[in-house]
Amino acid sequence: MPDASAPGTDNPGAALLCVEGLCAGYSARAPIVHDLSLALRAGEIVALLGTNGAGKSTAMKAMACAIAPFAGRIVCAGTDLTGAPSWVAARAGMGYVPQRDNVFAQLTVQENFAVGARARNGRDGPDTDAVLALFPDLKPRLASRAGVLSGGMRQMVAIGRALLGAPRVLLLDEPSAGLSPLLVGRLFARLTSLRQHLPILLVEQNVRAALAIADRALVMVEGRLHLATEPDDPAVTAVLAGGLAV
Amino acid sequence: MTGGLAPYLVSVGTMIAIYAIAALGLNLQFGIGGLFNVGCTAFIAVGAYASAIVTGPHYRQGLGGFGLALPVGLLAAAAAGALLALLVAAMVLRLRGDYLAIASFGLATAVQIAATNAGAITGGPGGLFGIPLRLGQFWPDAAGPGAAWANVAWLGVCAALAAAAFMALRRLDRAPWGRDLRAVSEDPEAADAAGRNVAAFRLQAFVIGAALMGVAGGLYAHTAGFISPQDFLPILTFQLYAMVIVGGAGRHAGALLGTAVVWLLWSGSGELLAAVLPAQMQANSGAIRVIAIAVVMLAMLLQRPEGLLPERVGRR
Amino acid sequence: MIGAVVVDGVLIAAVLSLASLGLSLSYAVFRFPNFAHADLLTIGAFAAWSGATLAGGNAAPVLSLVAGATAALVTCAGVILLADRLVLRALLARRQSASVIIAAFAIGLLLRNVLVLIFGPGEVALDRDIEIARPVMLLPGLSAGRLTATESGVILATALLLAGLHIFLRHSPTGRDLRAVAEDPDLAGLSGLVVPRIRVLAWGLCGAFCAAAGLAILMLGPAQPETGSEYMLPALAAVVVGGLGSIWGMLAGALLIGLVESVTVHVGLAEWREVTAFALVVLVLFLRPAGLFGRA
Ligand SMILES: Nc1ncnc2c1ncn2[C@@H]1O[C@H](COP(=O)(O)OP(=O)(O)OP(=O)(O)O)[C@@H](O)[C@H]1O
Ligand SMILES: [Mg+2]
C-alpha cells in the first residue's frame, strides 16, 4: 500500500484516495460490496467496470460517504473519512458525481456551481470561468434552472459543480449515460485534460470509451474486485461479456 | 352494586372493546394497508350519529323518532362509515401519503363542523340526548339491580363484536386477499406490475376499516346515551394511533393489546389523578393525561417503533 | 359590499399567510406536514401575551410590543428546536413519513396541554384601547371595507416578511443553500453543505414565523389553547393549494382561501368557513396534485 497519510502529496505515485477492505450496502444483513480495496494515485484515471448490479455505484457511494460502510477504511488526501458524513468528505476533497439526481433541478446553473463551491474549504481550485472554459456550452445557460437543461448539459453542470469544490480526487458514476456518442467523445477528451491535476475514478457502462482514457482497469463481479489490470488486457472484456474468467 | 371495582371493570372493558373495534379498523387501513388516515373521528362520528338517529326517540333537537332496533342501528353505523369512506375515497385514496393525511384531517374537521352546524339532523352543538342505552328494548335497564347486569350484557355484546371483527380480519389476512393487500402497500409499483389492482385493494381496506370505525361509533353512542361534536375531537384519532402503534402496527393482535394497554393507561391515569391531585387542580387532570399519552407515544416511536407485538417478518 | 368582501378577504389572507409561512418552509425542507405547527402558533400568541403583559401592557405600548415579540420569538424557536433535537431529527433520519407525522401530532397535543396547564383553558387577550376602523379606499371613489390601524399593520408586516423571505431565499448564499437542502439533502451533503446546520436554521426560521403569526393573532383578538388549531386546516390548504415549497404559491393559496372564506362569511355561513377551505384542498389535490403553482 502506498503511503496515504502524508497530506498534500501531489507527486506522481502517491495515493490520493485509498480504500481498504470496504464492505457496504443498504442493510447490514445483505452487504452488496465485499472487501474492496483500491488506490487512486495522482495523475491517473482508473476505470471501475462491472456488469449491471455488480455494486459499482454502491461502492462509489460508500467511498463518497453517501452511505456508511459496514467495514473498511477510506482515506482521501490524508484525511480518514471512514464513517464521516458526506459533507466532511466533500470538504476533505472528495469530488463525487452520482449516477442519478446529480444536479439541483430547481436551482440555476450558477447556483449549482455556488453550492458546489461550498466544499472548497480554503483550497485553491477552478473558478466558474475555468469550468465554463471546460464546458463553453453552459455559458449562455448560467441563469437557467438546471432542470430544464438537456441530459448532456446536466451532466456538465454536475461535473462542474463537483469541480468547483476544488476536489483532490473525482469520482464519476457513469458520466456518459444518456449522451450521444459525439458528446461522449467531447466529454472524455475534457476528462483527460483534467487528469494532470485531478485523479479520476470512473465507473462506466461505455467500456470502450472508458478504457481508451484509463490508465488502469478494475473489474467488479458480484460486489468483489475480480480483476485489476491494464486497460488493454483482453481479460477485461472477457469478464464483462459474462465469461467468468476464473 | 353501585361503586366498587366490578362496575368499574365492566365499564373499562366495554370501552376497550369499543376502541378495539376502531383500532382494528385503523390497523387494517394504516398498519396493513399503509393508508395514512388522520381523520378517524369522521368515520366514528358518522357511525355514532347514524345509529343514534336510526334507533332514537324524538330528540329535543335533531333527527329522530325512527325507533328501530339496535342491530339495525349498528348496521346503519357500519354503512355510514363505509359510505363516507366511499364518498371521499375516489378523491383521496390515490394521493400520496402526506396528502392523504392532510385530506383526511380536513375531512374530520369538516364532519365536526357539519355536526355542530347541521342542528336539524345532529342536534347541533348540544348534541343528541336520550339515545337508547345499551341493549335498549332487548334488556331494559331502568333502575334497580337489573341495571348492573344490563351493563355486563352490553360488555358481552361489545366484546363479542370485537372478537368477531378480530377473527374476520385474521381470516381475511390469511386469505390471498390479505397477502395481496400487504404486497400492495409495501410496494405498490411491483404489485401493479404483478397485475394487482392497487386502487381496488386500497379502496377495500379503507372502506372496511371505516365501517369498523362506524360500528365503534354506534356502540359508543349506545354506551354513553349522549353524543355531541365534542366527543369526536382529534384526540380520539390520536388515541387510536397510540393503540395501533403501541401494540405493533400491522398485527391484529397488536391492535387489541395496544387498545387494552393505552386505554388502561388513559383510564387508570384518570383514576389516579382523581385520587392524588388536590381539588383545585382536578380541572387539569385531562391535560395531564393527554401529556402522558403523548409522551408514551413519542417514547414508543423513538425506542420501539415496531410496537409491543411486532409484525412477524417472513410470515408471508 | 364587494369592497368589504375583498378587504376582509385580504386581511384573512394576510393572517393566514403569516400563519402558513413556517408551515410552508418546514414542509419544503423536511417534507412532512407538521401538525404541531398549529400549537407553535398558539405558543407564539401566549408567549407574546406573557411578554407584553410583563412589560406593562397598555401602560408601555412600544416596550410591551417589543417584549412580546421577543418572548414569542425565543419561545417558538426554542420549542421547535428542542422538539427537533429530542424527537423529530431521529425520526426524520429513518425516512418513514408516517411516524414523523404521528410524532408531530403528539408533540402538538403535548404542547397544547402544557399551555392548558400553565395558562388554564381560557382566553388571554391584550389589554388595549378600542381601535377605530377606518374606511379603506380600493380605488378613488370605491371605498367599502374598513380596517383598524392594527389590521393594516398586520397586512403590512405580512407583506414585508414575505418580501424579506423571498429576498433571503433567492438572493442570499444561505438562502440558496437552504433551497438546495430542501430539494435534495443527499446531494447537498455531497456538495459540501453542512446539512444539519441548515436544517437547524430552517427550524429556527419556522419558529420565527410562528412567533410573528402568534403575535399578529394576539394583536387581532384573544387567544386560547385551541387558537392555533383553527389555523391548521386553512394553513395546510394554503400550502397545498399553492404548491409545496413555493412561497408565492402559498400566498396565492392564502388569498384564494381568504376570499372564499370572506365570501362565505358575508353570505352568512361563517361557521362553514373551514369546510370551504377543506373543499378547496380536496379539489386542488384531485385536479392538480402538484398544486396550482407547484412544479410536479
Ligand atoms: N438504494 C438502494 N437500496 C437497496 N438496494 C439497492 C439500492 N441501490 C441499489 N441497490 C441494489 O444493489 C445492487 C447493486 O447496485 P449498484 O447500483 O451498486 O450496481 P451498479 O454496479 O452500479 O449497476 P448499474 O450498472 O446498473 O449502475 C443491486 O442489486 C441493486 O438492486
Ligand atoms: Mg450504477
Side-chain angles (χ1 to χ4, degrees):
Chain A
M1 270 300 137
D3 176 25
S5 56
T9 45
D10 272 62
N11 52 315
L16 282 171
L17 174 67
C18 191
V19 175
E20 287 166 25
L22 184 71
C23 289
Y26 305 93
S27 116
R29 263 175 284 149
I32 288 173
V33 175
H34 305 269
D35 194 24
L36 177 72
S37 298
L38 60 86
L40 188 60
R41 298 184 191 87
E44 68 177 354
I45 294 180
V46 174
L48 180 60
L49 306 171
T51 46
N52 278 82
K56 310 177 295 288
S57 295
T58 307
M60 220 172 221
K61 275 187 223 168
M63 291 179 220
C65 299
I67 56 177
F70 306 132
R73 213 163 80 94
I74 299 156
V75 180
C76 174
T79 315
D80 189 337
L81 295 175
T82 315
S86 54
W87 51 91
V88 170
R91 290 176 170 231
M94 187 80 82
Y96 169 49
V97 179
Q99 183 172 2
R100 273 180 225 97
D101 299 327
N102 51 19
V103 297
F104 297 102
Q106 310 281 344
L107 269 53
T108 64
V109 172
Q110 183 121 51
E111 286 172 333
N112 269 278
F113 287 171
V115 169
R118 290 290 204 194
R120 281 187 164 231
N121 205 8
R123 285 186 302 272
D124 253 356
D127 55 7
T128 305
D129 287 339
V131 169
L132 289 178
L134 198 60
F135 303 123
D137 302 354
L138 292 179
K139 202 169 280 176
R141 310 306 301 268
L142 270 181
S144 314
R145 284 195 303 114
V148 305
L149 300 181
S150 68
M153 299 267 250
R154 272 211 296 262
Q155 205 58 264
M156 296 177 203
V157 174
I159 296 174
R161 196 206 70 244
L163 289 177
L164 274 160
R168 305 296 304 279
V169 300
L170 189 58
L171 313 182
L172 296 179
D173 197 347
E174 301 205 17
S176 78
L179 301 196
S180 69
L182 184 69
L183 277 176
V184 174
R186 289 219 311 240
L187 180 68
F188 277 39
R190 284 161 196 167
L191 291 183
T192 41
S193 76
L194 289 172
R195 147 167 42 188
Q196 264 341 310
H197 312 285
L198 186 62
I200 299 174
L201 183 64
L202 181 63
V203 165
E204 260 304 336
Q205 291 289 341
N206 193 336
V207 176
R208 193 180 316 176
L211 291 177
I213 63 166
D215 301 299
R216 289 189 290 133
L218 308 175
V219 183
M220 284 179 76
V221 174
E222 290 174 3
R224 288 171 202 280
L225 194 58
H226 185 77
L227 191 66
T229 179
E230 301 297 310
D232 48 9
D233 187 339
V236 173
T237 33
V239 172
L240 290 176
L244 279 185
V246 188
Chain B
M1 232 170 96
T2 48
L5 194 60
Y8 174 68
L9 288 182
V10 169
S11 91
V12 167
T14 308
M15 287 313 283
I16 290 180
I18 294 174
Y19 267 97
I21 295 174
L24 283 169
L26 179 61
N27 188 44
L28 179 66
Q29 292 180 342
F30 171 72
I32 297 173
L35 298 169
F36 197 16
N37 173 11
V38 195
C40 306
T41 51
F43 305 102
I44 298 176
V46 294
Y49 279 105
S51 195
I53 288 170
V54 166
T55 62
H58 288 283
Y59 294 110
R60 187 142 42 95
Q61 201 196 352
L63 198 60
F66 301 102
L68 297 175
L70 176 76
V72 183
L74 293 181
L75 280 178
L83 213 62
L84 182 65
L86 272 176
L87 215 63
V88 294
M91 295 246 166
V92 156
L93 272 188
R94 48 163 223 191
L95 302 177
R96 52 172 230 238
D98 52 342
Y99 282 8
L100 176 58
I102 293 174
S104 55
F105 177 73
L107 178 70
T109 312
V111 166
Q112 167 111 32
I113 289 171
T116 312
N117 293 297
I121 301 171
T122 64
L128 297 176
F129 270 102
I131 301 166
L133 268 180
R134 302 181 193 97
L135 288 170
Q137 68 266 42
F138 296 111
W139 196 313
D141 60 4
W149 290 111
N151 287 346
V152 175
W154 181 240
L155 165 64
V157 169
C158 295
L161 284 173
F166 174 68
M167 304 299 255
L169 286 171
R170 279 251 295 227
R171 285 287 285 270
L172 267 181
D173 208 19
R174 287 178 181 168
W177 186 85
R179 267 177 281 140
D180 286 353
L181 176 62
R182 279 181 203 267
V184 161
S185 84
E186 265 157 34
D187 192 345
E189 270 142 45
D192 189 45
R196 305 276 182 280
N197 187 344
V198 174
F201 274 103
R202 296 176 142 219
L203 179 69
Q204 288 156 11
F206 191 58
V207 169
I208 296 175
L212 287 171
M213 292 174 191
V215 171
L219 291 173
Y220 174 76
H222 296 291
T223 309
F226 158 67
I227 52 173
S228 82
Q230 291 304 306
D231 291 326
F232 308 105
L233 297 176
I235 176 79
L236 181 56
T237 299
F238 180 70
Q239 284 173 332
L240 289 177
Y241 269 96
M243 290 163 178
V244 168
I245 285 175
V246 166
R251 284 196 63 186
H252 303 302
L256 294 187
L257 178 70
T259 307
V261 169
V262 170
W263 187 257
L264 285 175
L265 199 70
W266 178 257
S267 133
S269 63
E271 300 293 321
L272 186 74
L273 288 170
V276 302
L277 275 190
Q280 69 272 23
M281 284 186 62
Q282 284 295 340
N284 286 332
S285 88
I288 296 175
R289 286 158 77 188
V290 176
I291 293 173
I293 293 280
V295 169
V296 167
M297 178 87 159
L298 290 174
M300 204 72 195
L301 282 171
L302 285 170
Q303 300 299 328
R304 204 179 152 86
E306 71 278 18
L308 297 175
L309 275 189
E311 196 173 349
R312 274 167 283 186
V313 281
R315 192 167 55 104
R316 302 184 298 124
Chain C
M1 173 69 186
I2 292 182
V5 170
V6 172
V7 168
D8 286 354
V10 169
L11 179 62
I12 296 175
V15 181
L16 184 55
S17 327
L18 207 49
S20 307
L21 263 178
L23 184 68
S24 167
L25 192 71
S26 63
Y27 211 148
V29 176
F30 302 102
R31 313 230 177 137
F32 77 102
N34 177 14
F35 280 95
H37 181 79
D39 302 284
L40 279 180
L41 298 175
T42 323
I43 286 180
F46 274 81
W49 177 81
S50 312
T53 310
L54 285 176
N58 209 14
V62 177
L63 177 68
S64 68
L65 183 65
V66 173
T70 314
L73 187 67
V74 171
T75 318
C76 285
V79 165
I80 188 63
L81 286 174
L82 194 68
D84 175 47
R85 177 99 218 189
L86 294 181
V87 180
L88 295 174
R89 189 177 295 181
L91 293 181
L92 281 165
R94 288 187 209 152
R95 301 191 187 209
Q96 296 167 337
S97 77
S99 60
V100 181
I101 297 178
I102 294 169
F105 221 86
I107 293 171
L109 278 174
L110 186 94
L111 295 176
R112 192 179 314 171
N113 285 281
V114 168
L115 278 181
V116 172
L117 283 187
I118 301 175
F119 295 94
E123 284 183 355
V124 298
L126 289 180
D127 136 50
R128 299 198 317 164
D129 299 333
I130 293 186
E131 283 185 290
I132 298 164
R134 295 175 196 288
V136 181
M137 291 290 194
L138 286 178
L139 293 168
L142 176 64
S143 97
R146 287 165 166 273
L147 289 176
T148 65
T150 307
E151 289 167 345
S152 316
V154 166
I155 294 177
L156 190 67
T158 304
L160 287 177
L161 278 176
L162 278 170
L165 181 61
H166 173 78
I167 291 171
F168 166 73
L169 286 176
R170 289 285 143 189
H171 300 290
S172 80
T174 313
R176 178 202 61 219
D177 292 352
L178 189 61
R179 282 186 290 134
V181 170
E183 185 185 328
D184 188 340
D186 295 333
L187 187 61
L190 290 167
S191 308
L193 297 183
V194 184
V195 178
R197 202 183 291 161
I198 293 169
R199 298 184 139 211
V200 164
L201 173 79
W203 280 129
L205 276 175
C206 171
F209 289 124
C210 287
L215 181 66
I217 290 169
L218 184 73
M219 291 182 72
L220 294 175
Q224 36 97 7
E226 298 282 336
T227 295
S229 335
E230 289 159 21
Y231 285 91
M232 195 62 209
L233 187 55
L236 278 172
V239 170
V240 171
V241 166
L244 293 183
S246 145
I247 303 176
W248 300 119
M250 184 277 285
L251 178 63
L255 277 170
L256 189 63
I257 290 167
L259 290 176
V260 170
E261 287 202 3
S262 172
V263 170
T264 323
V265 171
H266 277 270
V267 299
L269 295 171
E271 307 81 25
W272 296 90
R273 253 182 10 234
E274 284 183 80
V275 180
T276 55
F278 169 62
L280 212 58
V281 180
V282 173
L283 206 64
V284 168
L285 290 182
F286 186 61
L287 298 175
R288 255 191 82 99
L292 292 180
F293 306 93
R295 310 186 181 104

